[in-house]
Amino acid sequence: MEIKELVPNLNPGNWIEQYLNVYGIKDTQEYLYPTFKYVESPEVYDNMQEAYELLMESIKNHKNIGIVQDCDVDGMLSAYLMYKTIHELTLPFSNSLFKDLQVYFHSDKKHGITENVIKWVLENDINLLIVPDAGSNDYIQQQDLNFLNVDIIILDHHKIEKNKSDYKSNYKTIVISNQQGWVKNKALSGTGVVSKFIKYIDMQEGSKTSAFFADLVALSLVSDMCDMTSQENRSFLLFGLSKINNPFFIYLLENFVYHKDDDGELLINQYTLGFDICPYLNAVSRGKNQEL
């Protein structure tokens, strides 16, 4: 049997560096011990200020805001981040958040702005629709909603196709994506893109909301099988799993992860997240019982 050597002339003294080099990782010390050197500022993303102003204007004027949750773990987490952030932003202006903020739950593996979403938007008199982890290429649906006086903020990480339409409207569709502008990390999850928007909001509001969600960004990177040779993704993963804040995430780890390390502590890594937790979340999010 012929064997192709991955690392010819392996040096046992620095084999880790040699191995990482094969996969294109040159700054191996930063990869092994991240200092956030490669974490990009949200300011390199297009349309951050425009989306921030539209969101704050909608909140201050008590407009009805709707969020679309896609039916996978990344969709679930990205919608949750946006929901919690709007909840915090709304508190100074209104005590009636739940009247103004609603969520549409996809099921059966549907994504983005579907006909059912448009129907839901109209039935619930939504003024601003936020679509995390989807929607970049739903150009016709974007136009339909803009024509019906609905603004849209899309926070996505999927590749963007060219829009050949010259449609104009007084209402806006604002797209924030790691696939456009000066962003280097094209492998970030949808939840990661949402966290960038929340970080931008923090910068404008003097808050620290985004740091609290690092654990869920880490989970989303595993669930969406994002490229972990990315230095930024590696930083998010290690930082997020070093301090888990979300109480339901903690519950899942304590009740569904059975692998332990040599010291008897729960083994929390890409394997246990990917095989012990994500399948359950995917199964629930794709079912029709959204109360569950």
Side-chain angles (χ1 to χ4, degrees):
M1 182 174 64
E2 186 176 345
I3 297 174
K4 180 181 179 181
E5 288 184 277
L6 184 64
V7 185
N9 304 314
L10 182 69
N11 180 353
N14 68 337
W15 70 269
I16 294 179
E17 287 80 1
Q18 288 181 288
Y19 176 77
L20 293 175
N21 288 163
V22 170
Y23 288 98
I25 300 166
K26 304 303 180 186
D27 191 348
T28 56
Q29 285 304 301
E30 178 65 22
Y31 189 81
L32 294 170
Y33 310 103
T35 63
F36 309 104
K37 176 180 176 181
Y38 295 99
V39 173
E40 298 183 80
S41 167
E43 294 178 307
V44 303
Y45 282 70
D46 288 349
N47 306 322
M48 284 288 188
Q49 182 64 24
E50 191 176 5
Y52 165 72
E53 290 175 357
L54 177 58
L55 177 61
M56 295 307 298
E57 184 268 335
S58 298
I59 290 172
K60 291 176 182 178
N61 291 311
H62 304 283
K63 293 185 177 180
N64 292 330
I65 301 173
I67 300 173
V68 177
Q69 179 186 295
D70 268 11
C71 55
D72 59 16
V73 178
D74 196 21
M76 178 190 296
L77 298 176
S78 57
Y80 173 77
L81 262 63
M82 205 64 249
Y83 184 91
K84 291 290 286 185
T85 299
I86 295 174
H87 184 14
E88 295 298 318
L89 291 170
T90 304
L91 292 177
F93 303 104
S94 172
N95 292 320
S96 58
L97 167 74
F98 296 100
K99 181 189 74 174
D100 303 329
L101 179 59
Q102 302 177 65
V103 180
Y104 178 88
F105 298 97
H106 272 303
S107 61
D108 297 332
K109 299 188 74 171
K110 291 183 172 64
H111 295 272
I113 309 173
T114 62
E115 289 185 9
N116 285 338
V117 169
I118 295 175
K119 181 180 178 182
W120 174 81
V121 166
L122 298 178
E123 289 175 348
N124 292 275
D125 195 26
I126 300 298
N127 308 117
L128 171 62
L129 183 67
I130 300 177
V131 188
D133 189 32
S136 294
N137 298 306
D138 298 337
Y139 296 122
I140 294 175
Q141 297 91 324
Q142 294 169 15
Q143 294 171 9
D144 289 343
L145 286 173
N146 288 160
F147 181 76
L148 295 167
N149 304 338
V150 178
D151 289 314
I152 306 169
I153 296 175
I154 288 172
L155 301 151
D156 199 6
H157 69 131
H158 296 99
K159 289 185 178 180
I160 300 176
E161 301 167 3
K162 272 195 172 181
N163 180 13
K164 298 178 181 178
S165 171
D166 294 325
Y167 177 85
K168 300 294 181 184
S169 169
N170 291 328
Y171 288 80
K172 301 175 181 177
T173 293
I174 301 172
V175 177
I176 294 174
S177 171
N178 63 330
Q179 303 299 316
Q180 59 188 14
W182 294 96
V183 183
K184 293 180 180 178
N185 182 11
K186 307 298 185 185
L188 190 59
S189 63
T191 306
V193 173
V194 172
S195 76
K196 294 288 186 178
F197 181 46
I198 298 172
K199 175 65 175 178
Y200 187 86
I201 294 172
D202 284 343
M203 293 165 64
Q204 309 308 308
E205 298 289 313
S207 53
K208 297 181 179 179
T209 305
S210 59
F212 188 77
F213 296 133
D215 54 347
L216 300 185
V217 175
L219 179 58
S220 74
L221 290 169
V222 176
S223 72
D224 234 43
M225 296 183 288
C226 296
D227 183 1
M228 293 311 302
T229 64
S230 158
Q231 291 277 15
E232 182 176 55
N233 287 355
R234 168 79 172 175
S235 297
F236 271 128
L237 180 73
L238 293 192
F239 176 69
L241 297 185
S242 69
K243 180 172 174 52
I244 297 174
N245 299 306
N246 184 272
F248 187 58
F249 191 3
I250 294 171
Y251 170 85
L252 291 171
L253 292 170
E254 292 176 346
N255 289 275
F256 291 90
V257 174
Y258 300 102
H259 299 81
K260 295 185 178 181
D261 60 21
D262 294 337
D263 297 321
E265 299 293 327
L266 285 179
L267 195 60
I268 303 173
N269 57 25
Q270 289 169 256
Y271 179 88
T272 55
L273 296 182
F275 287 94
D276 295 345
I277 290 181
C278 291
Y280 289 100
L281 294 176
N282 272 321
V284 172
S285 69
R286 288 170 183 167
K288 293 185 181 297
N289 183 359
Q290 289 305 322
E291 184 178 351
L292 172 65

